[in-house]
Amino acid sequence: MSETHVDPLGPDAIDPGPLGHASPPIPTDADSLAAAGDLLRALAAPARIAIVLSLQQQGKCVHELVGEFGFSQPLVSQHLRVLKDAGVVRGNRNGREIMYELVDDHLAHIVNDAVLHATERHHD
């Protein structure tokens, strides 16, 4: 008699993952991995990480970010352009200013987790 294995969670169940957190299946096709690589490259600069951390609190315009970090206006604009091209931030015109905000909360989680991970003490 052969034994048939039945998944008790069913074929559409969400895998709890290695850390026990429920998450949807992660796409591993080439396009999805390339898009994730592009996103991570856009987030790789410390100045862009700082901008994302700042924007998770509230939307800000370029001059507010310049004042907060002491970066030059052209540098802040350049970093915002990279983040915008990567789909991390969007700009909404408010009169003469453009208010920048994060596209969604996932991005703040990625950056927060990366910063927390980098500052944790790891014991081998």
Side-chain angles (χ1 to χ4, degrees):
M1 230 196 227
S2 69
E3 186 175 310
T4 303
H5 174 70
V6 176
D7 184 352
L9 299 177
D12 297 327
I14 295 176
D15 180 7
L19 301 177
H21 297 93
S23 61
I26 305 295
T28 57
D29 60 280
D31 290 342
S32 296
L33 297 178
D38 291 343
L39 172 63
L40 292 174
R41 273 189 291 284
L43 294 171
R48 291 193 287 270
I49 291 171
I51 289 169
V52 170
L53 291 173
S54 178
L55 293 178
Q56 74 181 349
Q57 304 302 319
Q58 67 182 43
K60 296 182 179 174
C61 59
V62 172
H63 80 269
E64 290 174 307
L65 294 167
V66 166
E68 184 173 342
F69 299 115
F71 302 146
S72 69
Q73 182 275 323
L75 183 60
V76 170
S77 293
Q78 179 183 10
H79 285 305
L80 286 168
R81 186 170 28 261
V82 171
L83 292 171
K84 188 175 180 186
D85 289 347
V88 175
V89 301
R90 66 176 153 244
N92 297 310
R93 185 163 295 281
N94 185 10
R96 294 183 60 200
E97 297 179 331
I98 298 175
M99 295 294 291
Y100 289 92
E101 62 186 12
L102 295 180
V103 170
D104 64 42
D105 290 337
H106 287 93
L107 302 159
H109 291 292
I110 292 168
V111 172
N112 286 332
D113 287 347
V115 171
L116 289 173
H117 180 77
T119 58
E120 290 175 346
R121 291 193 172 279
H122 296 281
H123 301 287
D124 292 340

